[in-house]
Amino acid sequence: MIPRRRFLQLAAATSAAVAVLPETAHAETEGTITDLGPASVASPLGNGEFVGDVLYAGSRGLSPNVVGAYDLTADRVTRHFDIPTGIGIWAMCKHGTDVYVGTHAPSDLYRIDTVAGTVTRLASLPDHFVWSMAAAPDGKVYLGTSEPGRLVEYDPATGTTRDLGQPAPGEAYVRAVQADEKYVYAGIGTHAHLIAIDRATGDKRDLLPAELATRDWVSSMSVSDTHVAGGMNSLAELIVFPKADPSAYKVVKASAAGEKYIVSVLITGDWVYFAGRPSGTLYRCRLDGGGLEAVGVPFPEAATVRLLEHGGKVYGLQDNGVFVYDGTLEYRNLVQRGFKATPEEPMSVHSDGERVYVGGKSGADIHDLATGKVTRLPIGGEPKTMITVKGVTYLGVYTQAALYSHRPGDPDAELVKRTGNEQDRPRDLAYDARTGLIVMPTQPEPGHINGALSLYSPRRGAYDTYRPAVERQTVYTVVTRHGTAYLGTLIQEGLGLPPVTTTARLAAFDLVARKLLWQVEPVPGARHISSLSLGHTLLYGMASTGDVFEFDPVRRQVTRMLKVGAKGGEIFVVGRVAYCGDGDRIYRLDLETFTAETIAAGLAGQWFGGEPKLALDPSRRALYAVKARNLVRVAINPAG
């Protein structure tokens, strides 16, 4: 693990800002922007394919994304192919010497002609994601998409696409796709199905036995001439069966403690290899389902996005590199071998006063405000929210709704607890001084109902989870005072599950009695309350609509409301003013007149998922935001 950490720290340090922060920050004009350089530098991989002795690996979160050609013989990345659209590459497949690439947001299909060295966009789809692709022996390419979960066929002979509809009507995700001469196989979520579609007639058959119908996903898959293997969530199971008789199936349970997901599968020879998460373990079993073996853990908690066979060896793509298994495990960092490491779309930002943490894929970049040095904090997941309490920074990490802690100077963060309770995505963190509790709201796993509220006591080590916190919603933001947590919600529960409520709520939760006290709907039609902040006696919030509202917790009613931003972002009350942002502008609100003015504009922050963030420096003299993909410091003067 040390070589990987050293690389991540080195890659981040090379992008450190040369700007020196003003020593007299209090004298700065409000709204002054200081550029601190790339917010988070990474090179996470989403998929890959071999053509000859070259591994073509696709990136996620870069701008533009790239497919890097890693030549095994030269042991280096020899060239890059820019993929100009989309925020990431999850899907890749090949036919002959052509490599096909599927992007998301937007969902486009590209072909890389590896002989001519050209990239051609072939099709654009209305779907949010292209999750998986497979090429049939005759060269037709099949794409699995989400929202809705449908299957699309691309015919290279005619250059046209054909909508094959939803293999499982009503389900949001076609998460895994494989194809052979006769069938296309589709792995479905959020309710698990494994559908075989006859390529000639369109007839469909669900190959998943009835006793496995309660599983959440068939999220990964591999087929051979004789067998089909599918990885299922969220009990970390593998189903293997012969094509000639799907009823002769075997189910293999991953053996690592706490394992939930099978993220990639490969049939090669007489073996099925599969990778689990959150442990990061590589497993294998025989085609008959026997002889389960935990081969090893290339890197704890890392997701293996693809397993491939080449030259009798198994290759697994992870983070910014690839592991190789040939009786022993070897790790090769592709960035050290020339793969591009560039600014990614950040996910979170937080300042402890001396440094700024910027969360991204597989960790966080830590910017030292005194020296400008940037180091990488590696984590097997995505830090979605952070808070510092008594010198310790806590990070809420996706997946598994995990809480980590980090002390300044330590090379690694420590896992405090995984929330369990079918929770997936941390949404916010708050600390209540009266009870000594850290409060973390979380969103459930795809397809599951009811978010949760977890309470962690650093002093006692106790970690308690309450689900639901607010019935049939997810708590999106939280602030606390005197033993009460004020909660702002999101109407979306698990992804892929249609909301059953229409308006976000504001609620109060008693941290001592551990119960919900009340709930209201402060902003008509708001999808979520993006942020909350407490004034002297009143509560202030920002909604997805861009409205800022003032709320009286005693009377439990909205007292004033003002349309401020283009959409919801963070809000911070600082004395008699508040600051908020919508990703492009930062606003100062006069809380006496309840009017707003822009103090910084043109940020165009490229936040992952389009969810803008903002951090308040503990000195209350600065905010930290993102301009494009750079971290910026924005001077504020709340007393001025």
Side-chain angles (χ1 to χ4, degrees):
M1 190 169 183
I2 291 176
R4 175 172 177 259
R5 180 193 305 132
R6 284 178 179 167
F7 161 72
L8 290 169
Q9 293 174 342
L10 176 62
T14 60
S15 66
V18 296
V20 179
L21 294 182
E23 295 182 3
T24 56
H26 63 280
E28 289 180 279
T29 301
E30 187 163 75
T32 299
I33 295 175
T34 304
D35 193 323
L36 303 180
S40 179
V41 174
S43 193
L45 302 178
N47 211 310
E49 280 287 355
F50 272 105
V51 176
D53 288 332
V54 179
L55 172 63
Y56 292 86
S59 70
R60 295 183 292 128
L62 307 187
S63 182
N65 284 288
V66 298
V67 173
Y70 169 52
D71 188 314
L72 297 184
T73 303
D75 193 27
R76 63 186 179 90
V77 176
T78 56
R79 69 180 304 179
H80 291 87
F81 300 89
D82 284 353
I83 306 298
T85 60
I87 62 172
I89 297 167
W90 269 119
M92 294 177 69
C93 68
K94 73 170 182 179
H95 185 257
T97 57
D98 289 338
V99 172
Y100 292 89
V101 175
T103 68
H104 59 273
S107 293
D108 291 333
L109 174 65
Y110 289 85
R111 179 178 59 228
I112 300 174
D113 183 328
T114 64
V115 176
T118 58
V119 178
T120 305
R121 182 160 60 177
L122 304 173
S124 294
L125 307 179
D127 313 74
H128 184 208
F129 261 82
V130 177
W131 282 108
S132 184
M133 298 196 306
D138 62 2
K140 289 183 178 179
V141 175
Y142 295 90
L143 300 85
T145 75
S146 71
E147 304 145 289
R150 68 186 185 113
L151 198 64
V152 176
E153 178 189 81
Y154 172 77
D155 186 347
T158 63
T160 59
T161 60
R162 182 165 66 107
D163 184 358
L164 301 183
Q166 291 187 270
E171 295 299 336
Y173 295 84
V174 176
R175 190 62 178 84
V177 174
Q178 291 288 298
D180 59 22
E181 293 87 349
K182 188 173 183 180
Y183 294 102
V184 182
Y185 302 89
I188 305 296
T190 57
H191 300 93
H193 300 274
L194 203 168
I195 308 294
I197 302 117
D198 189 302
R199 295 178 59 208
T201 67
D203 292 342
K204 301 174 186 176
R205 178 186 177 193
D206 195 342
L207 303 181
L208 202 67
E211 52 266 39
L212 299 177
T214 58
R215 304 309 189 261
D216 296 343
W217 302 72
V218 176
S219 60
S220 53
M221 199 165 22
S222 181
V223 300
S224 67
D225 291 341
T226 58
H227 284 74
V228 175
M232 297 182 293
N233 300 343
S234 52
L235 300 177
E237 296 164 312
L238 180 81
I239 183 171
V240 188
F241 54 83
K243 290 179 176 179
D245 184 11
S247 66
Y249 67 89
K250 296 291 184 181
V251 176
V252 180
K253 179 80 168 68
S255 57
E259 205 80 296
K260 293 199 68 172
Y261 310 118
I262 303 301
V263 292
S264 51
V265 181
L266 171 69
I267 300 176
T268 178
D270 296 326
W271 293 93
V272 184
Y273 289 83
F274 57 104
R277 204 177 184 200
S279 77
T281 300
L282 176 66
Y283 304 88
R284 71 174 185 175
C285 67
R286 294 192 302 268
L287 271 177
D288 62 6
L292 176 66
E293 177 185 355
V295 169
V297 182
F299 283 105
E301 302 189 36
T304 302
V305 295
R306 186 74 185 272
L307 288 170
L308 297 163
E309 186 277 334
H310 181 72
K313 300 179 181 180
V314 174
Y315 291 77
L317 280 75
Q318 263 187 2
D319 290 344
N320 52 32
V322 58
F323 66 78
V324 187
Y325 177 71
D326 183 21
T328 60
L329 280 168
E330 172 196 356
Y331 184 80
R332 301 179 188 177
N333 190 301
L334 293 194
V335 180
Q336 290 177 337
R337 289 163 169 80
F339 200 100
K340 287 183 180 178
T342 61
E344 64 173 331
E345 292 184 323
M347 301 184 186
S348 55
V349 61
H350 166 71
S351 173
D352 66 3
E354 296 183 18
R355 55 197 65 82
V356 178
Y357 291 73
V358 181
K361 295 180 179 67
S362 304
D365 273 11
I366 304 176
H367 298 249
D368 187 300
L369 294 173
T371 66
K373 181 181 178 182
V374 183
T375 56
R376 186 71 172 179
L377 178 65
I379 295 177
E382 301 171 354
K384 298 291 191 182
T385 179
M386 295 171 275
I387 191 174
T388 299
V389 179
K390 298 180 180 178
V392 178
T393 296
Y394 294 88
L395 305 94
V397 175
Y398 166 88
T399 62
Q400 294 283 278
L403 183 65
Y404 281 78
S405 66
H406 179 250
R407 294 183 181 276
D410 285 357
D412 295 300
E414 293 186 7
L415 176 65
V416 174
K417 184 76 174 181
R418 294 189 181 95
T419 299
N421 289 277
E422 297 174 329
Q423 298 299 292
D424 199 20
R425 192 179 307 265
R427 280 299 183 181
D428 202 1
L429 283 166
Y431 174 70
D432 180 62
R434 172 170 289 182
T435 60
L437 293 173
I438 292 171
V439 182
M440 185 171 77
T442 53
Q443 187 170 358
E445 295 174 349
H448 288 273
I449 67 172
N450 286 326
L453 198 68
S454 293
L455 311 179
Y456 171 61
S457 170
R459 181 177 61 84
R460 296 185 294 109
Y463 192 97
D464 302 307
T465 298
Y466 298 86
R467 179 189 182 206
V470 175
E471 188 76 32
R472 298 312 304 267
Q473 293 196 345
T474 293
V475 177
Y476 192 95
T477 183
V478 58
V479 291
T480 64
R481 176 176 284 170
H482 304 321
T484 298
Y486 296 97
L487 316 175
T489 71
L490 163 72
I491 64 172
Q492 179 67 59
E493 299 172 272
L495 298 180
L497 193 69
V500 298
T501 59
T502 60
T503 305
R505 300 172 193 163
L506 176 66
F509 185 91
D510 188 321
L511 294 172
V512 178
R514 308 289 176 96
K515 66 179 183 179
L516 197 68
L517 300 175
W518 51 259
Q519 53 184 307
V520 298
E521 294 180 349
V523 181
R527 186 175 185 271
H528 64 272
I529 307 300
S530 59
S531 184
L532 295 170
S533 187
L534 284 156
H536 181 61
T537 58
L538 300 175
L539 178 64
Y540 296 87
M542 194 170 189
S544 58
T545 56
D547 292 289
V548 171
F549 62 90
E550 180 184 77
F551 184 84
D552 186 334
V554 176
R555 291 186 290 164
R556 299 181 193 173
Q557 67 181 38
V558 173
T559 51
R560 291 186 289 184
M561 189 178 299
L562 178 67
K563 175 73 172 180
V564 176
K567 61 180 179 179
E570 305 279 0
I571 186 168
F572 300 99
V573 174
V574 187
R576 296 180 180 180
V577 300
Y579 296 91
C580 64
D582 61 7
D584 186 56
R585 293 171 175 262
I586 296 175
Y587 307 90
R588 174 190 172 110
L589 282 74
D590 186 316
L591 298 182
E592 293 185 357
T593 64
F594 219 61
T595 56
E597 62 176 321
T598 299
I599 65 167
L603 298 179
Q606 296 177 21
W607 292 99
F608 182 84
E611 298 182 346
K613 306 296 182 182
L614 199 62
L616 176 66
D617 190 274
S619 69
R620 299 191 164 199
R621 289 189 251 175
L623 299 166
Y624 295 95
V626 166
K627 183 173 183 179
R629 299 191 179 195
N630 275 18
L631 178 66
V632 294
R633 178 185 183 275
V634 182
I636 59 174
N637 183 14

PDB file of all heavy atoms in Angstrom, residues 8-35:
ATOM      1  N   LEU A   8       0.037   8.923  -4.759  1.00  0.00           N
ATOM      2  CA  LEU A   8      -1.087   9.850  -4.622  1.00  0.00           C
ATOM      3  C   LEU A   8      -0.632  11.158  -4.010  1.00  0.00           C
ATOM      4  O   LEU A   8      -1.051  12.244  -4.415  1.00  0.00           O
ATOM      5  CB  LEU A   8      -2.176   9.209  -3.761  1.00  0.00           C
ATOM      6  CG  LEU A   8      -2.924   8.047  -4.419  1.00  0.00           C
ATOM      7  CD1 LEU A   8      -3.769   7.319  -3.397  1.00  0.00           C
ATOM      8  CD2 LEU A   8      -3.789   8.534  -5.569  1.00  0.00           C
ATOM      9  N   GLN A   9       0.235  11.094  -3.020  1.00  0.00           N
ATOM     10  CA  GLN A   9       0.735  12.314  -2.399  1.00  0.00           C
ATOM     11  C   GLN A   9       1.595  13.099  -3.379  1.00  0.00           C
ATOM     12  O   GLN A   9       1.499  14.318  -3.468  1.00  0.00           O
ATOM     13  CB  GLN A   9       1.519  11.964  -1.138  1.00  0.00           C
ATOM     14  CG  GLN A   9       0.634  11.387  -0.028  1.00  0.00           C
ATOM     15  CD  GLN A   9       1.427  10.907   1.154  1.00  0.00           C
ATOM     16  OE1 GLN A   9       2.626  10.690   1.061  1.00  0.00           O
ATOM     17  NE2 GLN A   9       0.754  10.727   2.280  1.00  0.00           N
ATOM     18  N   LEU A  10       2.417  12.394  -4.158  1.00  0.00           N
ATOM     19  CA  LEU A  10       3.278  13.068  -5.118  1.00  0.00           C
ATOM     20  C   LEU A  10       2.459  13.748  -6.204  1.00  0.00           C
ATOM     21  O   LEU A  10       2.706  14.888  -6.574  1.00  0.00           O
ATOM     22  CB  LEU A  10       4.244  12.071  -5.743  1.00  0.00           C
ATOM     23  CG  LEU A  10       5.158  12.608  -6.859  1.00  0.00           C
ATOM     24  CD1 LEU A  10       6.059  13.707  -6.304  1.00  0.00           C
ATOM     25  CD2 LEU A  10       5.973  11.483  -7.469  1.00  0.00           C
ATOM     26  N   ALA A  11       1.451  13.026  -6.718  1.00  0.00           N
ATOM     27  CA  ALA A  11       0.631  13.593  -7.791  1.00  0.00           C
ATOM     28  C   ALA A  11      -0.062  14.856  -7.327  1.00  0.00           C
ATOM     29  O   ALA A  11      -0.156  15.837  -8.057  1.00  0.00           O
ATOM     30  CB  ALA A  11      -0.401  12.568  -8.255  1.00  0.00           C
ATOM     31  N   ALA A  12      -0.560  14.857  -6.077  1.00  0.00           N
ATOM     32  CA  ALA A  12      -1.229  16.044  -5.569  1.00  0.00           C
ATOM     33  C   ALA A  12      -0.237  17.167  -5.336  1.00  0.00           C
ATOM     34  O   ALA A  12      -0.500  18.331  -5.623  1.00  0.00           O
ATOM     35  CB  ALA A  12      -1.967  15.717  -4.275  1.00  0.00           C
ATOM     36  N   ALA A  13       0.946  16.816  -4.838  1.00  0.00           N
ATOM     37  CA  ALA A  13       1.931  17.854  -4.528  1.00  0.00           C
ATOM     38  C   ALA A  13       2.396  18.572  -5.779  1.00  0.00           C
ATOM     39  O   ALA A  13       2.675  19.769  -5.760  1.00  0.00           O
ATOM     40  CB  ALA A  13       3.130  17.227  -3.813  1.00  0.00           C
ATOM     41  N   THR A  14       2.455  17.874  -6.909  1.00  0.00           N
ATOM     42  CA  THR A  14       2.909  18.517  -8.136  1.00  0.00           C
ATOM     43  C   THR A  14       1.944  19.580  -8.616  1.00  0.00           C
ATOM     44  O   THR A  14       2.304  20.437  -9.415  1.00  0.00           O
ATOM     45  CB  THR A  14       3.098  17.480  -9.247  1.00  0.00           C
ATOM     46  OG1 THR A  14       1.850  16.831  -9.500  1.00  0.00           O
ATOM     47  CG2 THR A  14       4.149  16.461  -8.860  1.00  0.00           C
ATOM     48  N   SER A  15       0.702  19.525  -8.109  1.00  0.00           N
ATOM     49  CA  SER A  15      -0.284  20.510  -8.541  1.00  0.00           C
ATOM     50  C   SER A  15      -0.484  21.607  -7.505  1.00  0.00           C
ATOM     51  O   SER A  15      -1.418  22.382  -7.600  1.00  0.00           O
ATOM     52  CB  SER A  15      -1.627  19.813  -8.800  1.00  0.00           C
ATOM     53  OG  SER A  15      -2.151  19.311  -7.592  1.00  0.00           O
ATOM     54  N   ALA A  16       0.364  21.675  -6.494  1.00  0.00           N
ATOM     55  CA  ALA A  16       0.182  22.649  -5.427  1.00  0.00           C
ATOM     56  C   ALA A  16       0.208  24.069  -5.965  1.00  0.00           C
ATOM     57  O   ALA A  16       0.955  24.405  -6.869  1.00  0.00           O
ATOM     58  CB  ALA A  16       1.291  22.484  -4.387  1.00  0.00           C
ATOM     59  N   ALA A  17      -0.630  24.908  -5.373  1.00  0.00           N
ATOM     60  CA  ALA A  17      -0.717  26.295  -5.824  1.00  0.00           C
ATOM     61  C   ALA A  17       0.535  27.062  -5.427  1.00  0.00           C
ATOM     62  O   ALA A  17       1.128  26.823  -4.386  1.00  0.00           O
ATOM     63  CB  ALA A  17      -1.945  26.957  -5.220  1.00  0.00           C
ATOM     64  N   VAL A  18       0.905  28.009  -6.274  1.00  0.00           N
ATOM     65  CA  VAL A  18       2.052  28.846  -5.956  1.00  0.00           C
ATOM     66  C   VAL A  18       1.610  30.134  -5.275  1.00  0.00           C
ATOM     67  O   VAL A  18       2.427  30.888  -4.776  1.00  0.00           O
ATOM     68  CB  VAL A  18       2.858  29.183  -7.230  1.00  0.00           C
ATOM     69  CG1 VAL A  18       3.435  27.918  -7.824  1.00  0.00           C
ATOM     70  CG2 VAL A  18       1.980  29.891  -8.263  1.00  0.00           C
ATOM     71  N   ALA A  19       0.289  30.375  -5.270  1.00  0.00           N
ATOM     72  CA  ALA A  19      -0.206  31.597  -4.630  1.00  0.00           C
ATOM     73  C   ALA A  19       0.052  31.546  -3.130  1.00  0.00           C
ATOM     74  O   ALA A  19      -0.065  30.498  -2.496  1.00  0.00           O
ATOM     75  CB  ALA A  19      -1.698  31.753  -4.893  1.00  0.00           C
ATOM     76  N   VAL A  20       0.440  32.667  -2.567  1.00  0.00           N
ATOM     77  CA  VAL A  20       0.652  32.781  -1.130  1.00  0.00           C
ATOM     78  C   VAL A  20      -0.520  33.545  -0.538  1.00  0.00           C
ATOM     79  O   VAL A  20      -0.895  34.612  -1.020  1.00  0.00           O
ATOM     80  CB  VAL A  20       1.968  33.522  -0.821  1.00  0.00           C
ATOM     81  CG1 VAL A  20       2.146  33.657   0.679  1.00  0.00           C
ATOM     82  CG2 VAL A  20       3.142  32.773  -1.432  1.00  0.00           C
ATOM     83  N   LEU A  21      -1.117  32.983   0.500  1.00  0.00           N
ATOM     84  CA  LEU A  21      -2.279  33.630   1.101  1.00  0.00           C
ATOM     85  C   LEU A  21      -1.872  34.933   1.777  1.00  0.00           C
ATOM     86  O   LEU A  21      -0.812  35.015   2.407  1.00  0.00           O
ATOM     87  CB  LEU A  21      -2.922  32.702   2.132  1.00  0.00           C
ATOM     88  CG  LEU A  21      -3.548  31.419   1.568  1.00  0.00           C
ATOM     89  CD1 LEU A  21      -4.177  30.640   2.697  1.00  0.00           C
ATOM     90  CD2 LEU A  21      -4.576  31.745   0.502  1.00  0.00           C
ATOM     91  N   PRO A  22      -2.725  35.925   1.680  1.00  0.00           N
ATOM     92  CA  PRO A  22      -2.407  37.194   2.338  1.00  0.00           C
ATOM     93  C   PRO A  22      -2.304  37.018   3.852  1.00  0.00           C
ATOM     94  O   PRO A  22      -3.096  36.317   4.463  1.00  0.00           O
ATOM     95  CB  PRO A  22      -3.613  38.081   1.977  1.00  0.00           C
ATOM     96  CG  PRO A  22      -4.251  37.417   0.800  1.00  0.00           C
ATOM     97  CD  PRO A  22      -3.985  35.962   0.960  1.00  0.00           C
ATOM     98  N   GLU A  23      -1.308  37.654   4.438  1.00  0.00           N
ATOM     99  CA  GLU A  23      -1.150  37.575   5.889  1.00  0.00           C
ATOM    100  C   GLU A  23      -2.154  38.475   6.600  1.00  0.00           C
ATOM    101  O   GLU A  23      -2.470  38.277   7.756  1.00  0.00           O
ATOM    102  CB  GLU A  23       0.282  37.961   6.285  1.00  0.00           C
ATOM    103  CG  GLU A  23       1.329  36.975   5.767  1.00  0.00           C
ATOM    104  CD  GLU A  23       2.726  37.353   6.222  1.00  0.00           C
ATOM    105  OE1 GLU A  23       2.850  38.333   6.975  1.00  0.00           O
ATOM    106  OE2 GLU A  23       3.676  36.680   5.827  1.00  0.00           O
ATOM    107  N   THR A  24      -2.646  39.469   5.898  1.00  0.00           N
ATOM    108  CA  THR A  24      -3.607  40.387   6.514  1.00  0.00           C
ATOM    109  C   THR A  24      -4.957  40.198   5.858  1.00  0.00           C
ATOM    110  O   THR A  24      -5.486  41.069   5.184  1.00  0.00           O
ATOM    111  CB  THR A  24      -3.142  41.845   6.345  1.00  0.00           C
ATOM    112  OG1 THR A  24      -2.943  42.093   4.938  1.00  0.00           O
ATOM    113  CG2 THR A  24      -1.854  42.087   7.093  1.00  0.00           C
ATOM    114  N   ALA A  25      -5.505  38.965   6.056  1.00  0.00           N
ATOM    115  CA  ALA A  25      -6.746  38.622   5.389  1.00  0.00           C
ATOM    116  C   ALA A  25      -7.877  39.567   5.762  1.00  0.00           C
ATOM    117  O   ALA A  25      -8.774  39.817   4.975  1.00  0.00           O
ATOM    118  CB  ALA A  25      -7.134  37.185   5.738  1.00  0.00           C
ATOM    119  N   HIS A  26      -7.838  40.125   6.984  1.00  0.00           N
ATOM    120  CA  HIS A  26      -8.917  41.003   7.426  1.00  0.00           C
ATOM    121  C   HIS A  26      -8.981  42.292   6.621  1.00  0.00           C
ATOM    122  O   HIS A  26     -10.008  42.953   6.588  1.00  0.00           O
ATOM    123  CB  HIS A  26      -8.732  41.326   8.910  1.00  0.00           C
ATOM    124  CG  HIS A  26      -7.468  42.080   9.213  1.00  0.00           C
ATOM    125  ND1 HIS A  26      -6.249  41.441   9.303  1.00  0.00           N
ATOM    126  CD2 HIS A  26      -7.234  43.404   9.417  1.00  0.00           C
ATOM    127  CE1 HIS A  26      -5.314  42.350   9.573  1.00  0.00           C
ATOM    128  NE2 HIS A  26      -5.881  43.528   9.636  1.00  0.00           N
ATOM    129  N   ALA A  27      -7.881  42.643   5.930  1.00  0.00           N
ATOM    130  CA  ALA A  27      -7.854  43.893   5.170  1.00  0.00           C
ATOM    131  C   ALA A  27      -8.307  43.703   3.727  1.00  0.00           C
ATOM    132  O   ALA A  27      -8.420  44.674   2.981  1.00  0.00           O
ATOM    133  CB  ALA A  27      -6.454  44.482   5.193  1.00  0.00           C
ATOM    134  N   GLU A  28      -8.561  42.490   3.329  1.00  0.00           N
ATOM    135  CA  GLU A  28      -8.948  42.236   1.944  1.00  0.00           C
ATOM    136  C   GLU A  28     -10.360  42.743   1.662  1.00  0.00           C
ATOM    137  O   GLU A  28     -11.240  42.738   2.520  1.00  0.00           O
ATOM    138  CB  GLU A  28      -8.922  40.734   1.669  1.00  0.00           C
ATOM    139  CG  GLU A  28      -7.537  40.132   1.621  1.00  0.00           C
ATOM    140  CD  GLU A  28      -7.646  38.644   1.354  1.00  0.00           C
ATOM    141  OE1 GLU A  28      -7.895  37.898   2.319  1.00  0.00           O
ATOM    142  OE2 GLU A  28      -7.494  38.241   0.193  1.00  0.00           O
ATOM    143  N   THR A  29     -10.554  43.134   0.432  1.00  0.00           N
ATOM    144  CA  THR A  29     -11.885  43.501  -0.021  1.00  0.00           C
ATOM    145  C   THR A  29     -12.750  42.256  -0.107  1.00  0.00           C
ATOM    146  O   THR A  29     -12.321  41.224  -0.620  1.00  0.00           O
ATOM    147  CB  THR A  29     -11.816  44.170  -1.404  1.00  0.00           C
ATOM    148  OG1 THR A  29     -10.984  45.323  -1.319  1.00  0.00           O
ATOM    149  CG2 THR A  29     -13.203  44.563  -1.894  1.00  0.00           C
ATOM    150  N   GLU A  30     -13.952  42.353   0.425  1.00  0.00           N
ATOM    151  CA  GLU A  30     -14.837  41.200   0.402  1.00  0.00           C
ATOM    152  C   GLU A  30     -15.082  40.763  -1.045  1.00  0.00           C
ATOM    153  O   GLU A  30     -15.338  41.585  -1.929  1.00  0.00           O
ATOM    154  CB  GLU A  30     -16.164  41.533   1.076  1.00  0.00           C
ATOM    155  CG  GLU A  30     -17.070  40.321   1.222  1.00  0.00           C
ATOM    156  CD  GLU A  30     -18.179  40.542   2.222  1.00  0.00           C
ATOM    157  OE1 GLU A  30     -19.139  41.260   1.875  1.00  0.00           O
ATOM    158  OE2 GLU A  30     -18.095  40.006   3.342  1.00  0.00           O
ATOM    159  N   GLY A  31     -14.989  39.466  -1.251  1.00  0.00           N
ATOM    160  CA  GLY A  31     -15.161  38.922  -2.587  1.00  0.00           C
ATOM    161  C   GLY A  31     -13.871  38.691  -3.337  1.00  0.00           C
ATOM    162  O   GLY A  31     -13.884  38.118  -4.436  1.00  0.00           O
ATOM    163  N   THR A  32     -12.738  39.139  -2.771  1.00  0.00           N
ATOM    164  CA  THR A  32     -11.445  38.895  -3.419  1.00  0.00           C
ATOM    165  C   THR A  32     -11.190  37.392  -3.524  1.00  0.00           C
ATOM    166  O   THR A  32     -11.297  36.655  -2.543  1.00  0.00           O
ATOM    167  CB  THR A  32     -10.306  39.555  -2.625  1.00  0.00           C
ATOM    168  OG1 THR A  32     -10.526  40.961  -2.591  1.00  0.00           O
ATOM    169  CG2 THR A  32      -8.955  39.260  -3.252  1.00  0.00           C
ATOM    170  N   ILE A  33     -10.839  36.961  -4.722  1.00  0.00           N
ATOM    171  CA  ILE A  33     -10.630  35.531  -4.981  1.00  0.00           C
ATOM    172  C   ILE A  33      -9.145  35.243  -5.115  1.00  0.00           C
ATOM    173  O   ILE A  33      -8.442  35.899  -5.880  1.00  0.00           O
ATOM    174  CB  ILE A  33     -11.371  35.097  -6.260  1.00  0.00           C
ATOM    175  CG1 ILE A  33     -12.886  35.242  -6.073  1.00  0.00           C
ATOM    176  CG2 ILE A  33     -11.013  33.662  -6.634  1.00  0.00           C
ATOM    177  CD1 ILE A  33     -13.684  34.943  -7.329  1.00  0.00           C
ATOM    178  N   THR A  34      -8.660  34.268  -4.352  1.00  0.00           N
ATOM    179  CA  THR A  34      -7.285  33.787  -4.466  1.00  0.00           C
ATOM    180  C   THR A  34      -7.308  32.358  -4.971  1.00  0.00           C
ATOM    181  O   THR A  34      -7.927  31.487  -4.357  1.00  0.00           O
ATOM    182  CB  THR A  34      -6.567  33.837  -3.105  1.00  0.00           C
ATOM    183  OG1 THR A  34      -6.620  35.160  -2.587  1.00  0.00           O
ATOM    184  CG2 THR A  34      -5.116  33.403  -3.253  1.00  0.00           C
ATOM    185  N   ASP A  35      -6.657  32.119  -6.088  1.00  0.00           N
ATOM    186  CA  ASP A  35      -6.637  30.792  -6.699  1.00  0.00           C
ATOM    187  C   ASP A  35      -5.587  29.931  -6.002  1.00  0.00           C
ATOM    188  O   ASP A  35      -4.406  30.296  -5.931  1.00  0.00           O
ATOM    189  CB  ASP A  35      -6.322  30.911  -8.191  1.00  0.00           C
ATOM    190  CG  ASP A  35      -6.586  29.623  -8.958  1.00  0.00           C
ATOM    191  OD1 ASP A  35      -6.325  28.544  -8.406  1.00  0.00           O
ATOM    192  OD2 ASP A  35      -7.047  29.702 -10.101  1.00  0.00           O
TER     193      ASP A  35
END
